[in-house]
Amino acid sequence: MATEQEKKRVLVVDDDPSLLKLIGMRLTGAGYEIQSADNGKQALGILESFKPHLLISDLRMQGMDGMALFAATRERSPGLPVIILTAHGTIPDAIEATKKGVFSYLTKPFDSQQLLSTVTDAIRLHPVVEEDQQHKDAGNWRSAIISRSNKMEELLQQARQVADSDVSLLIHSQSGTGKELLANAIHQVSERCDAPFVPVNCAAIPETLFESELFGHVKGAFTGANREHVGLFQSANGGTLFLDEIGDMPLNFQVKLLRALQEREVRPVGATQSVPIDVRIISATHRDLEQAITEGQFREDLYYRLNVVELRLPPLADRRDDIPLLVNHFLNQVLARSKKKVTGFSDEAMEILISAPWPGNVRQLQNVVEQTIALCNGPLIPVELVQKALRDKPSSLPTFARARDEFERRYLADLLKATEGNVTQAARIAGRNRTEFYKLLDKHHLTPDAFRE
């Protein structure tokens, strides 16, 4: 199996020893690390040390049943996905459980492929954020960057390599991707970590105030300068100065910035003496600076001074496997400061989030999560709220699995309508035996009785 699956841990809870053993064997054979418990209280104890990525629990157990275990688990690990095992007679209870935030349910008996498919989907759509031991050893320098994608991992390894050197870095990326988070992470793991990290958005400073803001001014330097002002270069002395949106810096200030970097000193406005500075510069932009140089909007000599090493931060659309992690991170942030009882996003809503184009990147995703939580009236955020937050624009073509599931659901519903809920007749038309047909109905939460007149 895949390396990613080999690392995933699953806790299985059931008071039936034979079923517990069977599920454990199937998941272990598929490359998962398994722990088992025969009751809910034992499972809660295992949760503390095992830290699973998924919980599978029987619905009906002596003492603490599956729903009580789910509720207790949610208090300890809000993002942990849960799959409920149920018998045919308790399917309505299992369906109700999914409305409360349970990822899915499996009807006993179930086949291996159905089990593995459901487990894979649960871990993919609702990944648990965990700290890699390597990151712990590195002092958690990258803890604020929520990611598991290969592209981000390559970028972070490159960032770690250059962090200890004092060369100027240029981060190039679209807006909303987290340029400041990356710059701060580099600062935190550098030798300058004990000194200030000072971020400044060049696009937010009026052109007339650039020199005063970055270099400072003395009292009486100009009208309104009633006291001395220490500039951002001096504030960051010994540390890192992060110049975001450097492409929006006025052309007439660029030569002054270049001189300050070359001479390692600044002269506050109105002062007669320069002040030595010791700062590392990390700059960032979403613009094509080489094109800006061609158009005469950016100085070529400053560009090469700033761009000793360039880091390209990928857009969210190129790191879609990070979206469930980010969604859960933002969800937990909002719930920590609100009284909402939201437990997560429905599977359909999460699929929409994963496939959306995200022109606004991580910032837009955070906005969508906060908006849908604010408007949600139940425990699970439905797909309709996500679509509304995305302004009802179709995100993209559905995945093959999603399109197939939608076809299956509609086909089965049409069959039950045509046969008025006669399962034997519907199964014969579909070319399936009754057992297989019932499994398909369970998968799509379709009840034959609802189609009988």
Side-chain angles (χ1 to χ4, degrees):
M1 297 300 290
T3 302
E4 183 178 330
Q5 284 188 346
E6 291 171 355
K7 299 176 182 177
K8 302 306 178 185
R9 299 180 294 277
V10 182
L11 174 58
V12 186
V13 191
D14 201 306
D15 54 9
D16 181 342
S18 58
L19 187 60
L20 202 61
K21 183 178 180 181
L22 178 62
I23 295 174
M25 288 174 60
R26 288 177 176 174
L27 293 181
T28 300
Y32 295 95
E33 183 182 348
I34 306 301
Q35 281 272 22
S36 301
D38 57 17
N39 62 74
K41 289 187 177 180
Q42 183 185 6
L44 289 178
I46 294 174
L47 274 173
E48 299 299 325
S49 57
F50 185 53
K51 305 295 183 186
H53 298 90
L54 173 67
L55 171 66
I56 301 176
S57 173
D58 192 16
L59 182 61
R60 292 283 180 261
M61 296 184 293
Q62 293 294 324
M64 177 181 284
D65 65 11
M67 287 311 297
L69 175 59
F70 167 69
T73 300
R74 268 296 152 95
E75 292 181 3
R76 293 165 170 77
S77 305
L80 181 67
V82 176
I83 296 173
I84 289 291
L85 306 176
T86 184
H88 272 285
T90 55
I91 287 178
D93 292 337
I95 293 174
E96 188 63 28
T98 62
K99 295 178 181 179
K100 294 179 179 179
V102 168
F103 173 77
S104 186
Y105 68 88
L106 292 172
T107 306
K108 297 182 282 189
F110 45 81
D111 60 35
S112 297
Q113 195 54 49
Q114 184 183 15
L115 170 67
L116 295 177
S117 175
T118 307
V119 167
T120 300
D121 286 345
I123 292 175
R124 178 178 67 88
L125 292 174
H126 299 281
V128 176
V129 179
E130 62 175 343
E131 294 178 331
D132 184 271
Q133 186 61 42
Q134 179 182 354
H135 303 165
K136 290 180 181 178
D137 295 342
N140 261 348
W141 69 278
R142 53 182 281 178
S143 61
I145 300 175
I146 309 299
S147 176
R148 63 174 181 178
S149 75
N150 291 332
K151 284 193 174 184
M152 283 295 293
E153 189 61 36
E154 290 174 6
L155 172 71
L156 289 169
Q157 288 180 6
Q158 186 182 5
R160 181 66 184 87
Q161 270 187 313
V162 299
D164 286 334
S165 68
D166 228 16
V167 298
S168 297
L169 306 178
L170 175 63
I171 301 172
H172 192 280
S173 72
Q174 298 175 7
S175 296
T177 51
K179 296 187 289 290
E180 184 176 334
L181 280 179
L182 177 59
N184 197 3
I186 292 170
H187 170 76
Q188 295 302 330
V189 76
S190 74
E191 294 180 354
R192 295 177 176 268
C193 60
D194 293 329
F197 173 80
V198 179
V200 53
N201 187 343
C202 296
I205 302 176
E207 183 173 347
T208 55
L209 295 180
F210 249 95
E211 189 170 2
S212 173
E213 284 298 306
L214 269 71
F215 296 168
H217 64 251
V218 298
K219 182 178 179 181
F222 49 82
T223 304
N226 300 321
R227 56 185 177 84
E228 181 180 340
H229 171 67
V230 176
L232 296 172
F233 265 92
Q234 288 178 262
S235 297
N237 200 45
T240 303
L241 181 63
F242 174 57
L243 300 175
D244 196 8
E245 300 302 350
I246 192 73
D248 292 326
M249 178 175 285
L251 193 60
N252 61 4
F253 182 73
Q254 292 177 23
V255 65
K256 297 178 181 179
L257 175 61
L258 177 62
R259 186 182 304 118
L261 296 179
Q262 289 173 336
E263 299 177 1
R264 302 182 69 83
E265 61 181 24
V266 298
R267 178 174 294 185
V269 178
T272 57
Q273 297 292 325
S274 295
V275 179
I277 52 165
D278 172 26
V279 297
R280 185 200 196 160
I281 300 294
I282 301 179
S283 52
T285 183
H286 70 282
R287 296 182 60 188
D288 183 343
L289 292 186
E290 292 184 356
Q291 181 64 30
I293 291 169
T294 302
E295 296 171 354
Q297 297 175 356
F298 202 86
R299 292 184 62 96
E300 186 174 17
D301 46 6
L302 177 60
Y303 172 73
Y304 288 117
R305 188 79 187 186
L306 296 173
N307 188 21
V308 178
V309 174
E310 182 174 6
L311 301 174
R312 289 195 167 265
L313 190 53
L316 187 57
D318 287 351
R319 41 182 288 220
R320 294 187 182 277
D321 41 348
D322 285 341
I323 290 176
L325 285 175
L326 290 163
V327 168
N328 289 336
H329 174 70
F330 294 138
L331 176 71
N332 292 333
Q333 277 189 335
V334 174
L335 296 182
R337 60 177 187 263
S338 74
K339 296 181 180 179
K340 282 280 188 174
K341 299 298 182 182
V342 175
T343 59
F345 287 77
S346 70
D347 300 340
E348 294 84 356
M350 186 64 80
E351 290 283 8
I352 289 288
L353 290 170
I354 292 172
S355 62
W358 300 116
N361 293 294
V362 179
R363 188 180 296 125
Q364 182 190 7
L365 175 63
Q366 182 176 9
N367 179 271
V368 167
V369 171
E370 291 177 352
Q371 180 180 334
T372 52
I373 293 173
L375 296 175
C376 185
N377 294 318
L380 275 184
I381 297 171
V383 66
E384 293 80 11
L385 278 182
V386 171
Q387 289 171 331
K388 182 179 180 182
L390 292 169
R391 289 169 174 74
D392 296 316
K393 294 178 182 177
S395 58
S396 64
L397 289 173
T399 63
F400 175 78
R402 191 171 165 215
R404 181 183 61 191
D405 284 350
E406 183 62 28
F407 171 79
E408 277 187 4
R409 187 182 300 109
R410 290 180 181 175
Y411 176 74
L412 293 170
D414 288 344
L415 273 181
L416 291 175
K417 288 177 186 176
T419 60
E420 297 182 351
N422 187 319
V423 174
T424 301
Q425 187 179 356
R428 186 165 54 248
I429 295 172
R432 293 287 185 271
N433 61 46
R434 281 172 57 90
T435 301
E436 290 175 335
F437 196 77
Y438 265 118
K439 288 180 179 178
L440 286 171
L441 295 182
D442 290 343
K443 174 183 175 183
H444 296 288
H445 311 317
L446 295 171
T447 307
D449 290 343
F451 295 87
R452 293 173 184 147
E453 296 183 356

